Amino acid sequence: MEVMINFYDLSGIFIPWESMRLGKGSKGPVYAQIKCIRVYRAFQMDNGEYETEACWLFIQRREDGETRYSVSNAPEGTSRDELCQASILCWPIEQSFKEMKGQLGMDHVEARSWPAWHRHAILVFIAYEFLLNIRLLVTNKKRPILSLIMALKLVVASLVDNEGPIRKALRKIEYHLRRNTTAHKSHSLKRESCRIA
């Protein structure tokens, strides 16, 4: 059940939805309807009184119907464009953690102490940064970046003495990059044509 909430400014004027391009996503531009509202958050202190803090409430309604809410402590003069850019910055971070858990074993730790977990996490971060550098080293501006799995296959193939596995890995990566580039272009064109129509 979706709750419909209407927002009004201090003078009682309804705040309408604005259609905005939030930025570029993995499948082309990301469009959403947004509302940016300056609100006050209240925090209860130890003595029972409330302390308030001014912040932005950023609401976005995506094309698929999903509504997302976020709060930002950006200054009052922050433009809507800056809030839109900040709203999609969490995706790369979430994607990085998903890759570290899925491919590098960040979630495969059975540590019983805080220092042991930190050691494991640091090793995973170092491995991820190494593979990220490999991904950036092999990528050019004309095509999407290598996936983490592709970079991992390339590193594993390079550890073997003979050149056969390296060439096989490079051919496979080249195939996937061509396929990903074609798909990326197709998704971008499709989304742009849907927005224009």
Side-chain angles (χ1 to χ4, degrees):
M1 181 174 112
E2 186 172 322
V3 178
M4 297 299 293
I5 301 173
N6 293 322
F7 290 96
Y8 298 88
D9 66 6
L10 294 176
S11 60
I13 298 173
F14 175 73
I15 300 172
W17 289 100
E18 291 182 60
S19 293
M20 295 283 289
R21 180 178 184 221
L22 299 181
K24 191 168 185 170
S26 62
K27 295 182 180 178
V30 177
Y31 294 97
Q33 292 182 322
I34 65 160
K35 288 188 183 195
C36 300
I37 303 148
R38 196 75 175 157
V39 296
Y40 290 90
R41 292 172 47 182
F43 302 97
Q44 188 171 12
M45 297 167 52
D46 292 338
N47 61 4
E49 295 181 13
Y50 287 91
E51 180 182 331
T52 59
E53 175 186 88
C55 60
W56 287 101
L57 174 61
F58 185 83
I59 307 168
Q60 56 178 296
R61 191 165 51 191
R62 297 278 178 103
E63 290 177 319
D64 62 359
E66 180 187 9
T67 303
R68 294 183 178 182
Y69 303 87
S70 56
V71 177
S72 171
N73 62 353
E76 188 172 350
T78 306
S79 69
R80 281 183 166 67
D81 291 335
E82 288 178 287
L83 290 171
C84 287
Q85 288 175 348
S87 72
I88 61 171
L89 286 178
C90 64
W91 183 84
I93 297 167
E94 292 170 358
Q95 189 66 24
S96 297
F97 274 97
K98 184 178 177 183
E99 288 178 338
M100 284 188 277
K101 287 179 179 178
Q103 302 301 321
L104 300 178
M106 188 171 191
D107 59 344
H108 293 204
V109 63
E110 294 182 18
R112 297 177 189 265
S113 67
W114 189 249
W117 184 86
H118 269 265
R119 284 187 210 105
H120 177 73
I122 287 170
L123 289 174
V124 170
F125 283 129
I126 290 170
Y128 188 74
E129 199 229 342
F130 173 74
L131 289 171
L132 182 61
N133 285 331
I134 297 289
R135 291 164 75 181
L136 294 173
L137 186 68
V138 179
T139 304
N140 62 32
K141 292 184 179 184
K142 294 182 181 178
R143 57 184 172 202
I145 192 169
L146 287 177
S147 69
L148 185 76
I149 296 170
M150 290 179 196
L152 195 54
K153 285 180 181 180
L154 194 58
V155 170
V156 169
S158 69
L159 295 175
V160 180
D161 287 339
N162 59 19
E163 291 185 20
I166 295 173
R167 288 188 183 158
K168 185 177 179 182
L170 285 173
R171 278 196 308 271
K172 197 169 196 176
I173 287 169
E174 192 63 39
Y175 163 75
H176 283 287
L177 284 176
R178 278 195 312 271
R179 189 184 71 180
N180 291 353
T181 302
T182 304
H184 181 74
K185 287 178 183 176
S186 173
H187 286 297
S188 296
L189 291 173
K190 187 176 181 181
R191 291 188 72 155
E192 280 296 325
S193 64
C194 289
R195 290 296 298 174
I196 294 171

